């Protein structure tokens, strides 16, 4: 049994979709979550900036002696290859598990991918799906404004703004008659009720956060890293901006009040700390 925590990071609140899955399917595990709310979104940043942010996020989590680190961020998983390759701990990203689930789910071999601009431009999901099945047609759409909807808690299935925005983004996918859509940013599963309302019940939505957690569970089992059965896992949350807003929105996304567990870190101070130690 390994009592060390799982480390999970994202550009903001989106990664809480993965945390929610951990709380349900790995309830015995302790969690340290870092949401870089001071620099969200990552999806519109340059590749160099995303690499740097990812390295800093990982370095922060490594301070907690995590037994596994999860990049609950489609952008980091797609773009920051150098950062994630340097992780010493067992590591899980969101692209590979989601692609495997989508390939298994599709019946007509037409898969849509909704992601940030950086994720779609990287072609990460297309490449991975084509490796698994070259005959599958993949259609990707960049949906940067959906991140803001989640960060501001505009996720109600009856919210007219959310509905109209989703309609505009998914049109290229529905026009191609995809039967499976990968929610390629962990923010997007929080909008699943809206997306499902727009695309209909016949389209399967792939939750990247859930699929990543299922992959993490397998990694923990195979490496003997699961915590003691029956242990009630504890969670702590760190963010780089707006603790109050984070707590309020997180309460909706997670279904529980975590205001007493939310901690602010000065990301600029942490950057200087890393620099002083020769970190690049």
């Amino acid at each position: 049994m390994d009592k060390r925590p799982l480390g999970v990071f994202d550009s903001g609140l989106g990664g809480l979709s993965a945390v929610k899955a951990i709380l349900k399917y790995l309830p015995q595990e302790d969690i340290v979550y870092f949401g870089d709310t001071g620099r969200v979104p990552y999806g519109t940043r340059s590749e160099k900036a995303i690499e740097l942010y990812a390295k800093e996020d990982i370095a922060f989590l490594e301070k907690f002696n995590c037994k596994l680190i999860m990049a609950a961020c489609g952008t980091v998983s797609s773009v920051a290859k150098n950062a994630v390759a340097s992780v010493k701990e067992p590591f899980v990203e969101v692209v590979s598990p989601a692609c495997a689930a989508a390939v298994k789910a599709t019946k007509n071999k037409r898969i849509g991918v909704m992601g940030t601009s950086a994720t779609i431009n990287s072609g990460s999901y297309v490449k991975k799906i084509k490796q698994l099945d070259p005959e599958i047609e993949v259609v990707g759409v960049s949906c940067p404004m959906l991140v803001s909807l989640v960060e501001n808690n505009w996720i109600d299935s009856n919210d007219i703004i959310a509905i109209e925005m989703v309609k505009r983004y998914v049109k290229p996918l529905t026009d191609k008659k995809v039967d499976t859509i990968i929610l390629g940013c962990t923010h997007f599963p929080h909008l699943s009720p809206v997306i499902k309302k727009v695309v209909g019940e016949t389209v399967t939505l792939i939750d990247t956060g859930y699929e990543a957690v299922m992959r993490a569970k397998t990694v923990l089992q195979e490496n003997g890293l699961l915590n003691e059965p029956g242990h009630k896992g504890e969670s702590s949350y760190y963010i780089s901006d707006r603790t109050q807003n984070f707590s309020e929105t997180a309460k909706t996304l997670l279904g529980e009040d975590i205001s007493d567990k939310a901690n602010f870190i000065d990301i600029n101070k942490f950057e200087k700390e890393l620099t002083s130690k020769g970190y690049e």
Side-chain angles (χ1 to χ4, degrees):
M1 302 302 169
D2 194 321
K3 297 181 179 180
R4 292 177 297 161
L6 307 179
V8 182
F9 74 94
D10 181 45
S11 61
L13 291 160
L16 292 178
S17 59
V19 171
K20 189 173 184 178
I22 293 173
L23 293 173
K24 182 176 182 179
Y25 298 102
L26 291 168
Q28 75 275 27
E29 300 298 337
D30 293 343
I31 306 167
V32 178
Y33 180 82
F34 176 61
D36 195 4
T37 51
R39 300 186 294 199
V40 66
Y42 283 7
T44 56
R45 310 281 185 172
S46 68
E47 185 172 325
K48 183 177 181 181
I50 296 167
E51 283 275 9
L52 175 62
Y53 294 169
K55 286 182 179 180
E56 291 172 350
D57 298 346
I58 292 165
F60 177 74
L61 290 177
E62 287 178 335
K63 294 174 61 174
F64 296 89
N65 189 30
C66 297
K67 61 184 176 184
L68 177 144
I69 290 180
M70 177 185 297
C73 176
T75 299
V76 168
S77 300
S78 298
V79 177
K81 294 180 175 58
N82 293 329
V84 302
S86 65
V87 179
K88 300 184 291 290
E89 300 79 8
F91 177 79
V92 173
E93 41 80 27
V94 300
V95 174
S96 299
C99 289
V103 169
K104 185 177 180 180
T106 185
K107 301 293 191 298
N108 67 1
K109 291 187 179 290
R110 294 179 183 177
I111 295 175
V113 181
M114 299 172 68
T116 65
S117 300
T119 295
I120 298 303
N121 291 338
S122 74
S124 59
Y125 283 95
V126 177
K127 293 171 188 173
K128 190 64 182 179
I129 290 170
K130 289 293 187 181
Q131 287 175 2
L132 297 171
D133 188 339
E135 295 182 0
I136 290 178
E137 180 181 359
V138 187
V139 184
V141 290
S142 174
C143 314
M145 294 180 71
L146 297 189
V147 173
S148 296
L149 286 181
V150 175
E151 291 289 322
N152 289 282
N153 206 16
W154 289 15
I155 60 174
D156 189 275
S157 60
N158 294 314
D159 189 299
I160 190 64
I161 295 177
I163 291 171
E164 291 304 316
M165 199 174 289
V166 167
K167 280 183 179 178
R168 177 169 294 194
Y169 281 136
V170 302
K171 190 175 187 303
L173 306 183
T174 54
D175 285 350
K176 287 288 187 176
K177 294 182 170 45
V178 303
D179 71 348
T180 304
I181 296 177
I182 296 176
L183 306 180
C185 168
T186 51
H187 281 77
F188 299 172
H190 299 296
L191 285 163
S192 289
V194 182
I195 298 170
K196 180 63 75 173
K197 190 172 187 176
V198 173
V199 301
E201 293 297 326
T202 59
V203 177
T204 300
L205 303 183
I206 303 298
D207 182 334
T208 43
Y210 167 81
E211 298 299 339
V213 171
M214 292 301 100
R215 176 68 59 85
K217 184 177 182 179
T218 299
V219 171
L220 294 173
Q221 290 172 332
E222 291 178 347
N223 291 278
L225 296 174
L226 287 169
N227 202 348
E228 182 180 358
H231 171 74
K232 181 173 174 52
E234 298 182 357
S235 306
S236 55
Y237 302 85
Y238 295 84
I239 53 174
S240 53
D241 194 20
R242 300 180 301 176
T243 305
Q244 183 177 357
N245 288 355
F246 172 83
S247 300
E248 292 172 354
T249 304
K251 184 176 182 179
T252 302
L253 301 183
L254 288 176
E256 63 177 88
D257 186 359
I258 62 166
S259 56
D260 60 335
K261 303 175 184 177
N263 307 278
F264 170 76
I265 68 159
D266 186 337
I267 195 67
N268 293 319
K269 182 178 179 181
F270 185 63
E271 286 175 346
K272 292 177 182 177
E273 178 186 328
L274 291 174
T275 302
S276 68
K277 295 179 180 178
Y279 175 88
E280 296 181 359

